Amino acid sequence: MNINSAKVIELRKSKHWSQEQLADACGINLRTIQRVENTGKGSVETVRALASVFEIDAEDMIVKPQQEKPLSPFEAIKSAFIRFNDFTGTASRYEYWWFFGFILIVAAIATVVHEKAYQLVAIIMIIPFVAIGTRRLNDIKQSPWWQLLWLVPFGQLVVLYLSAQQSK
């Protein structure tokens, strides 16, 4: 469930609580509070506990689909780098393909500049690319292990085909 993490942080700070104090007040794990504030993901029970502690309606904490604004290309690329270690959740086609295009352009420029620059770019980009690929495959209800086909000749076509599928 998508939770408005900015609202949780704002309400927590208005009470001058740390994440640990909020976790104790809610009766939930500190790691759950950290996940809610970082990714905006949480269960129904988490939403109810937070709403109870903050004395607000649980519906006010949930991000509705119409409230989510579409990402700009820059925000999609920035999001991929910010969530470089997030192998859970989902990524939209839009987000995935903008990041894929960004990687292609940066790699092409680095290749023109110097071979070592290309190697450095490849090393820096591999983890965010695997993470966003995993989230994209999660979004279409496929196994992230499909990404191993990047290592097989013509297997890349299968991964690209899967990445182009609509969300499920």
Side-chain angles (χ1 to χ4, degrees), residues 12-126:
R12 176 178 61 81
K13 287 184 177 181
S14 71
K15 291 190 178 263
H16 304 289
W17 284 350
S18 68
Q19 289 179 334
E20 293 171 351
Q21 290 169 321
L22 177 58
D24 290 341
C26 292
I28 56 179
N29 193 329
L30 171 62
R31 182 67 189 117
T32 302
I33 298 296
Q34 292 169 341
R35 184 180 64 245
V36 166
E37 289 189 0
N38 289 333
T39 66
K41 304 288 184 200
S43 67
V44 174
E45 293 80 20
T46 301
V47 172
R48 288 180 184 154
L50 288 169
S52 173
V53 167
F54 292 133
E55 299 172 349
I56 61 171
D57 188 29
E59 290 295 319
D60 294 339
M61 302 201 62
I62 299 171
V63 175
K64 315 244 182 330
Q66 64 268 21
Q67 287 180 335
E68 294 178 5
K69 63 177 184 150
L71 297 175
S72 70
F74 176 74
E75 289 171 335
I77 294 166
K78 180 180 166 188
S79 170
F81 281 115
I82 290 172
R83 296 176 59 194
F84 78 96
N85 63 344
D86 181 12
F87 292 86
T88 61
T90 60
S92 66
R93 278 193 299 184
Y94 181 83
E95 186 178 358
Y96 177 82
W97 286 107
W98 271 110
F99 189 68
F100 186 82
F102 173 77
I103 287 176
L104 287 179
I105 291 169
V106 170
I109 292 170
T111 302
V112 170
V113 171
H114 195 275
E115 182 180 333
K116 296 286 185 190
Y118 170 74
Q119 292 172 351
L120 182 63
V121 165
I123 290 169
I124 291 171
M125 298 289 190
I126 190 72

